[in-house]
Amino acid sequence: LENNSQRTDWLDAAEFGYGNDPVYGLFEFRGWENFPGTRKVRGMELNYTQQLSFFRNEFLRGTRVFATYSRYTSKVRPNNFVPESASAGVSFRFRNFTSKLAGTWAPDVWTGSNTVSAAATNTYFYPGDREARKERYIFDIDLGYKLTRRFEVFVSGRNAFNAPIVWYFPNSDQRIRQKERFGGQWTVGLKGRF
């Protein structure tokens, strides 16, 4: 895996081609840029999945468990580099009913966006402390019920428990700079096969 781009600093509108624009001329922009050479990222992924069909109980026979763990290394780690992640879940199928609960974990990630000044005298911060995006657990839920051979009702929830995105200074008393909650995304519907 190779990564050939990185985030730019905040740049004025003229550098993005909007210098004379009446709407965007006063904005600042941030984008992506190529850097010389390449950065190589090596990684591995472990996967496990199993249908528990060896159980005699009809309900347990319809159970499936799964898990994935990924780890990446690089000599040069750009900002927002995610060194590892994991996901796991369980699904059930019992007659006309199906359900699934799946979760994803991502660790703390250095953002490079904000750094405490080396001259800082505030006792809450360590000079040179970097900002990180806090580890996050996200859970998804899926439920379905087959009404007929062709029709099924379903409920689907993404980030079902509204896990926030948190930026903080990990070495400076865990001080939070920003927290964002976007809410869970729920969908209810009817599926048909024709």
Side-chain angles (χ1 to χ4, degrees):
L1 177 65
E2 294 183 352
N3 181 3
N4 295 311
S5 62
Q6 61 188 355
R7 289 299 297 266
T8 66
D9 291 327
W10 290 101
L11 304 171
D12 63 36
E15 292 185 69
F16 263 74
Y18 292 110
N20 297 325
D21 191 282
V23 177
Y24 299 112
L26 299 175
F27 283 63
E28 287 187 330
F29 295 86
R30 193 173 187 196
W32 293 90
E33 64 183 354
N34 292 333
F35 53 81
T38 59
R39 294 179 184 172
K40 292 192 176 179
V41 178
R42 291 188 169 89
M44 68 158 198
E45 182 174 284
L46 301 174
N47 243 317
Y48 168 77
T49 183
Q50 183 173 10
Q51 183 79 33
L52 306 183
S53 54
F54 52 84
F55 282 111
R56 297 179 117 182
N57 181 285
E58 182 184 359
F59 180 76
L60 292 176
R61 264 201 324 265
T63 303
R64 183 175 72 92
V65 293
F66 54 93
T68 301
Y69 174 76
S70 303
R71 186 167 182 83
Y72 306 98
T73 60
S74 176
K75 288 182 182 176
V76 179
R77 291 190 175 190
N79 294 327
N80 295 303
F81 180 82
V82 181
E84 59 183 336
S85 63
S87 61
V90 59
S91 64
F92 299 98
R93 178 178 294 278
F94 182 69
R95 297 180 185 168
N96 291 343
F97 176 75
T98 59
S99 64
K100 182 167 107 174
L101 172 65
T104 302
W105 166 80
D108 281 13
V109 174
W110 296 113
T111 65
S113 300
N114 293 289
T115 304
V116 177
S117 166
T121 57
N122 188 322
T123 57
Y124 294 114
F125 294 106
Y126 293 108
D129 191 9
R130 294 191 301 160
E131 179 191 79
R133 192 171 60 243
K134 198 170 184 65
E135 74 174 339
R136 192 173 180 218
Y137 296 88
I138 302 171
F139 291 94
D140 298 333
I141 296 174
D142 291 293
L143 302 169
Y145 187 81
K146 198 169 185 180
L147 300 170
T148 68
R149 202 163 52 100
R150 294 182 182 272
F151 292 99
E152 178 184 349
V153 291
F154 69 91
V155 177
S156 178
R158 300 291 167 257
N159 191 15
F161 304 114
N162 195 14
I165 303 173
V166 177
W167 289 266
Y168 78 121
F169 294 96
N171 299 322
S172 301
D173 195 27
Q174 307 283 308
R175 188 67 46 138
I176 293 174
R177 183 186 67 79
Q178 181 176 338
K179 180 186 275 192
E180 294 181 359
R181 287 186 185 272
F182 299 100
Q185 178 185 349
W186 291 91
T187 306
V188 178
L190 175 68
K191 284 196 281 192
R193 295 180 180 86
F194 301 98

